[in-house]
Structures are given as C-alpha cells and as structure tokens.
Amino acid sequence: MAASRLAGAAHGADLAQEANVDTAWPAPLTDLLRRAAEAGHGPLSVSALTEMLRKGA
C-alpha cells in the first residue's frame, strides 16, 4: 500500500467533491490508508488493511 494509494484516495475524494458527490463514503477509507501508512504498512499491499481492521488500530 504505497503512498500513491493514499494520494489516490485523497484525489478520489477531491474528484467526488468537484462532481458534487457525497464525500462521506471515502473518508473512512482514506483515514484507514493514512493510519496503515503511519503504522509502517506503506510498502505492503492493500491486504495489510485487514490487519489494521483486525487490531482496531
């Protein structure tokens, strides 16, 4: 889950806002990606998110 995924999630949220689409749905995913990167899971795949969810991190 490289930093590019986090940047991509943020970009998706920006696009949703520009398109006047509800931006509440990507916020939890963006937060989870950010926390995973901060926890050192940055170079891992998105499957590392399951560890973040499992641990309640």
Side-chain angles (χ1 to χ4, degrees), residues 8-19:
H11 180 67
D14 290 343
L15 290 176
Q17 187 173 15
E18 289 175 16

Side-chain angles (χ1 to χ4, degrees), residues 7-34:
H11 180 67
D14 290 343
L15 290 176
Q17 187 173 15
E18 289 175 16
N20 200 30
V21 173
D22 182 5
T23 58
W25 69 268
L29 176 60
T30 302
D31 181 58
L32 184 60
L33 288 168
R34 180 192 52 77

